[in-house]
Amino acid sequence: VNSSPQLRLKVFDEVWQMIDKEYFDPTFNGVDWQAVQARYRPEAQNLQNDSELLRIVRGMLNELRTSHLWFSLLDAEEAYVADPVGAAENGPITASKSITWRHLSPVTGYIKISSFTEGAEFLQLIDRAFEELGNVPALVIDLRDNGGGSLNGAMRLGDHLFDQPRPVGSFATRAALEHRKLTSIDQMDAAELPVYSGYDMDGFRSMLREKGALTLVTGGRAKPPYRGKLIVMINRVTASAAEAVAAVFQELRLAVVVGPRPTAGKMLSSRQVKLTGGWTLTLPEADFRTPNGVRLEGIGVKPDIVVKPASSSEDVPLNEASKLAERLLR
Protein backbone atom coordinates (compact mmCIF):
# COMPACT_ATOMS: atom_id res chain seq x y z
CA VAL A 1 0.00 0.00 0.00
CA ASN A 2 1.45 3.32 -1.03
CA SER A 3 1.79 6.09 1.54
CA SER A 4 0.75 9.70 1.08
CA PRO A 5 3.01 12.30 -0.60
CA GLN A 6 3.38 14.05 2.77
CA LEU A 7 4.53 10.87 4.50
CA ARG A 8 6.98 10.08 1.70
CA LEU A 9 8.55 13.53 2.04
CA LYS A 10 8.71 13.08 5.82
CA VAL A 11 10.57 9.78 5.40
CA PHE A 12 13.00 11.40 2.95
CA ASP A 13 13.70 14.17 5.46
CA GLU A 14 14.15 11.66 8.31
CA VAL A 15 16.77 9.76 6.31
CA TRP A 16 18.70 12.90 5.40
CA GLN A 17 18.61 14.17 9.00
CA MET A 18 19.77 10.85 10.50
CA ILE A 19 22.76 10.80 8.16
CA ASP A 20 23.43 14.47 8.88
CA LYS A 21 23.52 13.86 12.64
CA GLU A 22 24.90 10.34 13.10
CA TYR A 23 26.77 9.14 10.00
CA PHE A 24 30.19 8.02 11.29
CA ASP A 25 32.26 10.40 9.17
CA PRO A 26 31.86 14.14 9.91
CA THR A 27 33.34 14.89 6.47
CA PHE A 28 30.68 12.67 4.82
CA ASN A 29 33.38 10.89 2.83
CA GLY A 30 34.17 14.15 1.05
CA VAL A 31 30.57 14.71 -0.05
CA ASP A 32 28.72 18.04 0.45
CA TRP A 33 25.70 16.60 2.25
CA GLN A 34 23.82 19.92 2.27
CA ALA A 35 24.22 20.15 -1.50
CA VAL A 36 22.97 16.58 -1.86
CA GLN A 37 19.80 17.53 0.01
CA ALA A 38 19.36 20.58 -2.21
CA ARG A 39 19.54 18.38 -5.33
CA TYR A 40 17.29 15.54 -4.17
CA ARG A 41 14.60 17.20 -2.04
CA PRO A 42 12.75 19.01 -4.87
CA GLU A 43 12.20 15.63 -6.53
CA ALA A 44 11.20 14.12 -3.17
CA GLN A 45 8.38 16.68 -2.94
CA ASN A 46 6.70 15.21 -6.01
CA LEU A 47 6.99 11.45 -5.53
CA GLN A 48 4.06 9.49 -6.93
CA ASN A 49 4.54 6.22 -5.05
CA ASP A 50 6.75 4.32 -2.60
CA SER A 51 8.84 2.82 -5.38
CA GLU A 52 9.94 6.32 -6.34
CA LEU A 53 10.77 7.06 -2.70
CA LEU A 54 12.90 3.93 -2.58
CA ARG A 55 14.71 4.92 -5.76
CA ILE A 56 15.44 8.51 -4.77
CA VAL A 57 16.54 7.75 -1.20
CA ARG A 58 18.85 4.96 -2.32
CA GLY A 59 20.24 7.27 -4.99
CA MET A 60 20.92 9.92 -2.36
CA LEU A 61 22.62 7.39 -0.06
CA ASN A 62 24.77 6.08 -2.92
CA GLU A 63 26.36 9.53 -3.11
CA LEU A 64 28.24 8.67 0.10
CA ARG A 65 29.93 5.61 -1.48
CA THR A 66 30.01 3.64 1.75
CA SER A 67 29.04 0.19 3.03
CA HIS A 68 26.53 -0.80 5.73
CA LEU A 69 24.17 1.89 4.40
CA TRP A 70 20.77 0.77 3.19
CA PHE A 71 17.13 1.85 3.00
CA SER A 72 14.27 -0.63 2.94
CA LEU A 73 10.62 -1.25 3.79
CA LEU A 74 11.55 -4.58 5.39
CA ASP A 75 11.75 -5.31 9.11
CA ALA A 76 15.10 -4.48 10.66
CA GLU A 77 16.15 -8.15 10.84
CA GLU A 78 15.41 -8.63 7.14
CA ALA A 79 16.74 -5.27 6.03
CA TYR A 80 20.29 -5.50 7.35
CA VAL A 81 23.05 -6.56 5.00
CA ALA A 82 26.63 -5.31 4.84
CA ASP A 83 26.44 -5.72 1.08
CA PRO A 84 22.84 -5.61 -0.23
CA VAL A 85 23.88 -6.99 -3.62
CA GLY A 86 25.34 -10.13 -2.08
CA ALA A 87 22.59 -10.64 0.50
CA ALA A 88 21.16 -14.04 1.27
CA GLU A 89 17.53 -14.24 0.18
CA ASN A 90 16.38 -17.01 2.50
CA GLY A 91 16.69 -15.30 5.86
CA PRO A 92 19.44 -15.51 8.45
CA ILE A 93 21.86 -18.43 8.44
CA THR A 94 21.57 -20.73 11.45
CA ALA A 95 24.63 -21.40 13.61
CA SER A 96 24.86 -25.05 12.56
CA LYS A 97 24.90 -24.09 8.88
CA SER A 98 27.36 -21.24 9.30
CA ILE A 99 30.36 -23.32 10.44
CA THR A 100 31.63 -26.74 9.35
CA TRP A 101 34.96 -28.50 9.84
CA ARG A 102 36.91 -31.55 8.72
CA HIS A 103 40.42 -32.85 8.13
CA LEU A 104 41.97 -32.08 4.74
CA SER A 105 44.79 -34.49 5.58
CA PRO A 106 46.21 -36.17 8.71
CA VAL A 107 48.17 -32.96 9.40
CA THR A 108 45.79 -30.24 8.17
CA GLY A 109 42.45 -29.19 9.63
CA TYR A 110 39.82 -27.12 7.82
CA ILE A 111 37.18 -24.79 9.28
CA LYS A 112 34.68 -23.16 6.93
CA ILE A 113 32.86 -20.16 8.42
CA SER A 114 30.20 -18.85 6.05
CA SER A 115 28.80 -16.30 8.54
CA PHE A 116 29.50 -15.11 12.06
CA THR A 117 26.11 -15.74 13.61
CA GLU A 118 25.03 -14.34 16.97
CA GLY A 119 24.48 -16.47 20.05
CA ALA A 120 25.94 -19.06 22.39
CA GLU A 121 25.38 -21.96 19.96
CA PHE A 122 27.85 -20.53 17.46
CA LEU A 123 30.49 -20.01 20.15
CA GLN A 124 30.05 -23.63 21.23
CA LEU A 125 30.45 -24.79 17.63
CA ILE A 126 33.75 -22.92 17.31
CA ASP A 127 34.94 -24.64 20.49
CA ARG A 128 33.84 -28.01 19.12
CA ALA A 129 35.67 -27.44 15.85
CA PHE A 130 38.97 -26.86 17.62
CA GLU A 131 38.34 -29.74 20.00
CA GLU A 132 37.47 -32.27 17.28
CA LEU A 133 40.22 -31.23 14.89
CA GLY A 134 42.69 -31.68 17.71
CA ASN A 135 46.11 -30.15 17.74
CA VAL A 136 46.69 -30.50 13.99
CA PRO A 137 50.01 -29.01 12.82
CA ALA A 138 48.25 -26.81 10.22
CA LEU A 139 44.80 -25.21 10.06
CA VAL A 140 42.94 -23.61 7.15
CA ILE A 141 40.18 -21.14 8.07
CA ASP A 142 37.96 -20.49 5.06
CA LEU A 143 36.24 -17.08 5.13
CA ARG A 144 35.30 -17.00 1.46
CA ASP A 145 31.81 -15.64 0.75
CA ASN A 146 31.48 -14.67 4.43
CA GLY A 147 29.72 -11.31 4.51
CA GLY A 148 30.37 -10.77 8.22
CA GLY A 149 27.66 -10.82 10.87
CA SER A 150 28.10 -10.65 14.63
CA LEU A 151 31.47 -9.98 16.22
CA ASN A 152 30.94 -12.73 18.83
CA GLY A 153 32.34 -15.54 16.69
CA ALA A 154 35.32 -13.45 15.68
CA MET A 155 36.05 -12.74 19.35
CA ARG A 156 35.85 -16.46 20.22
CA LEU A 157 38.12 -17.31 17.30
CA GLY A 158 40.66 -14.93 18.81
CA ASP A 159 40.43 -16.80 22.12
CA HIS A 160 41.61 -19.97 20.38
CA LEU A 161 44.44 -18.27 18.51
CA PHE A 162 45.88 -15.77 21.02
CA ASP A 163 47.50 -17.06 24.19
CA GLN A 164 46.71 -13.84 26.06
CA PRO A 165 44.31 -10.88 25.70
CA ARG A 166 45.29 -8.47 22.97
CA PRO A 167 43.63 -5.59 21.06
CA VAL A 168 42.11 -6.57 17.72
CA GLY A 169 40.71 -3.26 16.51
CA SER A 170 38.93 -0.05 17.46
CA PHE A 171 35.61 1.64 16.69
CA ALA A 172 34.61 5.29 16.96
CA THR A 173 31.28 7.03 16.41
CA ARG A 174 30.64 10.54 15.17
CA ALA A 175 29.65 11.57 18.71
CA ALA A 176 33.03 10.43 20.03
CA LEU A 177 34.86 12.46 17.39
CA GLU A 178 32.81 15.58 18.05
CA HIS A 179 33.23 15.24 21.83
CA ARG A 180 37.01 15.15 21.36
CA LYS A 181 36.91 17.82 18.64
CA LEU A 182 38.46 15.39 16.13
CA THR A 183 37.65 14.70 12.49
CA SER A 184 38.84 11.09 12.22
CA ILE A 185 39.36 7.93 14.27
CA ASP A 186 42.98 8.13 13.09
CA GLN A 187 43.53 10.97 15.56
CA MET A 188 42.61 8.75 18.53
CA ASP A 189 44.96 6.67 20.65
CA ALA A 190 43.42 3.19 20.71
CA ALA A 191 45.35 2.34 23.88
CA GLU A 192 43.43 5.02 25.79
CA LEU A 193 39.95 3.87 24.73
CA PRO A 194 37.57 1.81 26.89
CA VAL A 195 37.89 -1.94 26.32
CA TYR A 196 35.13 -4.32 25.20
CA SER A 197 35.90 -8.03 25.44
CA GLY A 198 32.42 -9.58 25.52
CA TYR A 199 30.67 -11.80 23.01
CA ASP A 200 27.21 -10.32 22.45
CA MET A 201 26.22 -7.57 20.03
CA ASP A 202 23.81 -5.94 22.49
CA GLY A 203 26.63 -5.44 24.98
CA PHE A 204 28.91 -4.11 22.26
CA ARG A 205 26.30 -1.68 20.91
CA SER A 206 25.36 -0.51 24.40
CA MET A 207 28.98 0.25 25.28
CA LEU A 208 29.63 1.87 21.90
CA ARG A 209 26.67 4.24 22.40
CA GLU A 210 27.65 5.01 25.97
CA LYS A 211 31.38 5.53 25.39
CA GLY A 212 31.36 6.54 21.72
CA ALA A 213 34.63 4.74 21.03
CA LEU A 214 36.17 1.47 22.19
CA THR A 215 38.89 -1.07 21.56
CA LEU A 216 38.08 -4.76 21.15
CA VAL A 217 40.26 -7.12 23.17
CA THR A 218 40.19 -10.90 22.93
CA GLY A 219 42.44 -13.89 23.54
CA GLY A 220 43.55 -16.18 26.32
CA ARG A 221 40.14 -17.59 27.23
CA ALA A 222 40.43 -20.93 25.41
CA LYS A 223 42.99 -23.37 26.77
CA PRO A 224 45.25 -24.45 25.28
CA PRO A 225 45.46 -21.93 22.39
CA TYR A 226 46.09 -23.25 18.88
CA ARG A 227 49.80 -23.12 18.07
CA GLY A 228 50.08 -24.62 14.56
CA LYS A 229 50.48 -23.00 11.15
CA LEU A 230 47.46 -20.93 10.11
CA ILE A 231 46.11 -20.14 6.63
CA VAL A 232 43.11 -17.86 6.06
CA MET A 233 41.17 -17.98 2.79
CA ILE A 234 39.40 -14.89 1.42
CA ASN A 235 37.69 -13.66 -1.75
CA ARG A 236 36.04 -10.48 -2.96
CA VAL A 237 32.81 -11.29 -1.06
CA THR A 238 34.59 -11.63 2.29
CA ALA A 239 33.32 -8.59 4.16
CA SER A 240 32.79 -6.81 7.46
CA ALA A 241 33.72 -8.90 10.53
CA ALA A 242 35.16 -11.62 8.29
CA GLU A 243 37.63 -9.29 6.59
CA ALA A 244 38.51 -7.76 9.96
CA VAL A 245 39.49 -11.25 11.16
CA ALA A 246 41.64 -11.78 8.06
CA ALA A 247 43.24 -8.34 8.45
CA VAL A 248 44.11 -8.80 12.12
CA PHE A 249 45.57 -12.29 11.67
CA GLN A 250 47.61 -11.03 8.72
CA GLU A 251 48.77 -7.91 10.55
CA LEU A 252 49.87 -9.88 13.59
CA ARG A 253 51.68 -12.35 11.30
CA LEU A 254 49.58 -15.11 12.74
CA ALA A 255 48.36 -16.36 9.35
CA VAL A 256 49.11 -16.45 5.65
CA VAL A 257 46.15 -14.97 3.74
CA VAL A 258 45.28 -16.70 0.46
CA GLY A 259 42.81 -15.57 -2.19
CA PRO A 260 42.24 -14.47 -5.79
CA ARG A 261 41.78 -10.78 -4.94
CA PRO A 262 41.30 -8.35 -2.02
CA THR A 263 38.25 -8.55 0.26
CA ALA A 264 35.15 -6.37 -0.15
CA GLY A 265 36.37 -3.35 1.84
CA LYS A 266 33.12 -3.10 3.82
CA MET A 267 34.07 -2.79 7.47
CA LEU A 268 32.01 -0.45 9.62
CA SER A 269 29.61 -0.87 12.54
CA SER A 270 25.98 -0.15 11.76
CA ARG A 271 22.61 -0.06 13.47
CA GLN A 272 18.99 -0.17 12.38
CA VAL A 273 16.86 2.96 12.56
CA LYS A 274 13.08 2.59 12.36
CA LEU A 275 11.50 5.41 10.38
CA THR A 276 7.95 6.63 9.81
CA GLY A 277 5.68 4.28 7.84
CA GLY A 278 7.63 1.09 8.56
CA TRP A 279 10.76 2.08 6.64
CA THR A 280 14.18 1.04 7.96
CA LEU A 281 17.53 2.79 7.56
CA THR A 282 20.73 0.80 8.08
CA LEU A 283 23.07 3.50 9.37
CA PRO A 284 26.88 3.13 9.53
CA GLU A 285 27.56 4.68 12.93
CA ALA A 286 31.18 3.74 13.72
CA ASP A 287 34.45 3.63 11.81
CA PHE A 288 36.96 0.81 12.35
CA ARG A 289 40.74 0.51 12.45
CA THR A 290 42.96 -2.55 12.90
CA PRO A 291 45.45 -2.64 15.84
CA ASN A 292 48.04 -0.94 13.59
CA GLY A 293 45.54 1.75 12.59
CA VAL A 294 44.79 0.38 9.12
CA ARG A 295 41.50 1.30 7.46
CA LEU A 296 39.56 -1.50 5.74
CA GLU A 297 36.48 0.41 4.54
CA GLY A 298 36.80 1.00 0.80
CA ILE A 299 40.16 -0.81 0.72
CA GLY A 300 39.87 -4.40 1.95
CA VAL A 301 42.54 -6.97 2.73
CA LYS A 302 45.05 -8.01 0.09
CA PRO A 303 46.02 -11.69 -0.01
CA ASP A 304 49.61 -12.60 0.80
CA ILE A 305 49.43 -15.28 -1.88
CA VAL A 306 47.27 -14.68 -4.96
CA VAL A 307 45.60 -17.77 -6.43
CA LYS A 308 43.18 -18.43 -9.25
CA PRO A 309 39.50 -18.29 -8.26
CA ALA A 310 37.46 -21.44 -7.77
CA SER A 311 35.64 -22.85 -10.80
CA SER A 312 32.63 -25.12 -11.11
CA SER A 313 34.93 -28.09 -11.59
CA GLU A 314 37.74 -27.36 -9.13
CA ASP A 315 38.28 -25.49 -5.88
CA VAL A 316 41.69 -24.13 -6.88
CA PRO A 317 42.14 -21.86 -3.81
CA LEU A 318 41.47 -24.72 -1.37
CA ASN A 319 43.88 -26.98 -3.24
CA GLU A 320 46.54 -24.27 -3.08
CA ALA A 321 45.88 -23.65 0.63
CA SER A 322 46.25 -27.37 1.33
CA LYS A 323 49.55 -27.49 -0.59
CA LEU A 324 50.73 -24.37 1.24
CA ALA A 325 49.99 -26.02 4.59
CA GLU A 326 52.20 -28.94 3.65
CA ARG A 327 55.01 -26.61 2.56
CA LEU A 328 54.80 -24.65 5.82
CA LEU A 329 55.23 -27.87 7.78
CA ARG A 330 58.44 -28.95 6.05
Side-chain angles (χ1 to χ4, degrees), residues 153-202:
M155 296 286 276
R156 190 57 183 163
L157 206 52
D159 282 337
H160 283 277
L161 297 168
F162 304 136
D163 59 0
Q164 59 188 2
R166 64 186 308 159
V168 290
S170 302
F171 288 95
T173 64
R174 172 97 159 270
L177 296 177
E178 292 176 347
H179 177 72
R180 293 167 172 81
K181 296 182 170 55
L182 304 175
T183 57
S184 168
I185 186 176
D186 296 318
Q187 297 164 304
M188 291 184 175
D189 182 353
E192 296 180 356
L193 298 178
V195 167
Y196 182 77
S197 58
Y199 296 117
D200 71 295
M201 284 302 294
D202 288 341

Side-chain angles (χ1 to χ4, degrees), residues 24-149:
F24 75 96
D25 180 4
T27 71
F28 298 96
N29 205 22
V31 174
D32 185 336
W33 192 235
Q34 299 283 342
V36 168
Q37 181 195 39
R39 278 192 287 115
Y40 281 86
R41 197 173 190 276
E43 188 176 351
Q45 292 174 313
N46 299 293
L47 300 175
Q48 299 302 307
N49 52 56
D50 286 356
S51 294
E52 290 189 3
L53 173 64
L54 192 69
R55 175 185 59 80
I56 191 173
V57 171
R58 286 183 177 175
M60 177 175 71
L61 296 179
N62 284 341
E63 300 264 346
L64 293 167
R65 304 183 307 279
T66 191
S67 72
H68 294 71
L69 179 60
W70 195 238
F71 176 69
S72 173
L73 195 48
L74 298 172
D75 290 337
E77 290 75 17
E78 300 173 296
Y80 171 68
V81 280
D83 175 13
V85 177
E89 298 179 356
N90 299 316
I93 302 173
T94 61
S96 60
K97 290 183 178 178
S98 61
I99 177 170
T100 58
W101 59 89
R102 59 188 169 91
H103 282 90
L104 294 178
S105 76
V107 295
T108 306
Y110 173 78
I111 301 176
K112 167 67 176 175
I113 304 176
S114 55
S115 177
F116 287 110
T117 57
E118 176 76 0
E121 182 185 358
F122 186 76
L123 301 185
Q124 292 165 2
L125 289 170
I126 288 180
D127 291 346
R128 272 186 56 196
F130 279 91
E131 180 182 344
E132 293 181 12
L133 288 173
N135 193 26
V136 286
L139 179 63
V140 175
I141 297 179
D142 190 347
L143 299 178
R144 291 177 297 172
D145 301 325
N146 184 328

